[in-house]
Amino acid sequence: MLQNVTILGATGTIGLNTLDVISRHPERYRVFALTAHSRVSELAELCRRYQPRYAVMLDTDAAERLRQALRDTDTQVLEGIEALEQVASHVDVNVVMAAIVGAAGLKPAIAAAHAGKRILLANKETLVMAGSLFMQAVEKGGATLLPIDSEHNAIFQVMPARRLSALQDGGVKRILLTASGGPFRKASVDELKAVTPAQALNHPNWVMGPKITIDSATLMNKGLEVIEAHWLFNAPAEKIEVVVHPQSVIHSMVEYVDGSVLAQMGNPDMRTPIAYGLGYPERLDAGVSALDLFQVGRLDFEAPDTARFPCLRLAFDALAQGGTAPAILNAANEVAVDAFLKGGIGFQDIPQLIESVMNSMHIEPVNSIAQLIGVDALARSQAMQWRPSC
């Protein structure tokens, strides 16, 4: 059966890789809707190529420019967060790739869950901000949730079928999340003080968007993934361990009580987890080259250094505090990364800003999306007022 796919965040790295995989299987998938924030020319080009029924721009002015660019096509241009929710939950949609970076991806992902869609989740903030609410929506809506982060996708592949009880009665002892260590794995404290945005954007293994690349450099990306793993696999923090693996060949591992450790391996290419999510439980050709173990040569592992990279510790702290703490962590981090990319703060100021905001806000139990959006806004406001100490 031909499946209709909505791609939330079509112009980003995940979105483009999803379109690449879909292009390899035109007999199985059709693009239903494509969305972007403000990249008009890029989205217009994609719409002309894939001819979706809908195109959505979050930014109103960008939506009007896109309408003009596509006025000779059959694609209907919509705008705003409500339109994102509409194309994520539309009755004709089978699969939703949730790849919008940041808190903007939360509402459409929740809408897809309530509508019972197959959700390919590449938006970290959905689980970090609203893990309990999102997982409840998935269960209530009868949605199928497939993680697309390479690490969580790897864990999903080697976990028992009953993943939510695997650490209780499925023989699983620990989840081992691998991390590349980023471009500054061996940098000294003094060297970290002088890091520039250009250096931080030069990831040794992965091609990603700027925000997630900076998160990888600070190890916040791994911290967010720890929180995600907690919700995806019903895993307490003490059962999740981060292992630095510079080659990024082993994407994560699961340790069992009998001493077995199962790992998923492959070249660092996001088309592998995307194809797995699209085809599950079948396997699809993703266009990814075969892993050459002789070329890899060796696999190294080391413990993360939370003294040089305190963002990982902050994420574990937020998970331990629970409630709105992860949402505060996420909002402060987004502001800090943006400020660093714009030259407003230094690389080592990022964790200082985040910790300051976390310490200044009251932690509450999570009860609604509206509450989380308010907490997110307040945390961002406080983060934008933060200034480095001299």
Side-chain angles (χ1 to χ4, degrees), residues 194-245:
V195 164
T196 67
Q199 291 172 323
L201 288 169
N202 186 25
H203 195 280
N205 299 336
W206 296 94
V207 177
M208 305 177 289
K211 194 267 182 184
I212 191 173
T213 304
I214 301 302
D215 282 349
S216 180
T218 64
L219 290 194
M220 177 57 85
N221 187 50
K222 207 54 47 181
L224 298 178
E225 288 175 2
V226 167
I227 299 173
E228 286 183 278
H230 164 73
W231 292 111
L232 284 168
F233 306 110
N234 196 28
E238 62 270 17
K239 298 291 186 178
I240 306 170
E241 183 172 342
V242 174
V243 179
V244 175
H245 167 51

Side-chain angles (χ1 to χ4, degrees), residues 109-110 113 119 121 126-127 130-139 145:
I110 292 278
I119 304 169
L121 187 65
T126 296
L127 284 170
S132 60
L133 297 179
F134 180 68
M135 296 304 290
Q136 288 169 19
V138 168
E139 183 177 0
L145 178 60

Side-chain angles (χ1 to χ4, degrees), residues 141-321:
T144 300
L145 178 60
L146 295 160
I148 300 303
D149 268 349
S150 60
E151 294 81 3
H152 302 105
N153 188 268
I155 295 165
F156 187 93
Q157 292 191 46
V158 299
M159 268 278 206
R162 296 181 63 192
R163 292 170 182 85
L164 290 181
S165 61
L167 279 94
Q168 284 70 44
D169 55 21
V172 172
K173 184 177 181 181
R174 285 188 304 169
I175 289 172
L176 302 171
L177 277 172
T178 58
S180 70
F184 311 121
R185 181 172 58 90
K186 295 186 177 181
S188 67
V189 172
D190 288 338
E191 289 171 331
L192 290 174
K193 292 178 182 177
V195 164
T196 67
Q199 291 172 323
L201 288 169
N202 186 25
H203 195 280
N205 299 336
W206 296 94
V207 177
M208 305 177 289
K211 194 267 182 184
I212 191 173
T213 304
I214 301 302
D215 282 349
S216 180
T218 64
L219 290 194
M220 177 57 85
N221 187 50
K222 207 54 47 181
L224 298 178
E225 288 175 2
V226 167
I227 299 173
E228 286 183 278
H230 164 73
W231 292 111
L232 284 168
F233 306 110
N234 196 28
E238 62 270 17
K239 298 291 186 178
I240 306 170
E241 183 172 342
V242 174
V243 179
V244 175
H245 167 51
Q247 291 86 2
S248 294
V249 169
I250 294 178
H251 299 304
S252 275
M253 298 169 278
V254 173
E255 180 183 358
Y256 288 80
V257 293
D258 63 0
S260 298
V261 177
L262 302 186
Q264 188 267 339
M265 303 171 65
N267 284 320
D269 190 319
M270 286 307 300
R271 290 177 297 175
T272 295
I274 290 168
Y276 185 85
L278 283 169
Y280 180 81
E282 299 177 50
R283 299 272 181 173
L284 302 178
D285 173 23
V288 178
S289 58
L291 178 64
D292 186 342
L293 290 174
F294 298 109
Q295 184 177 3
V296 173
R298 57 184 288 175
L299 301 174
D300 296 307
F301 306 94
E302 60 191 62
D305 186 341
T306 54
R308 285 185 300 137
F309 300 100
C311 283
L312 180 58
R313 171 184 58 80
L314 293 174
F316 270 103
D317 290 347
L319 179 57
Q321 292 177 65

Side-chain angles (χ1 to χ4, degrees), residues 6 26 60 66 163 361:
T6 285
T60 301
L66 184 64
R163 292 170 182 85
M361 292 187 62

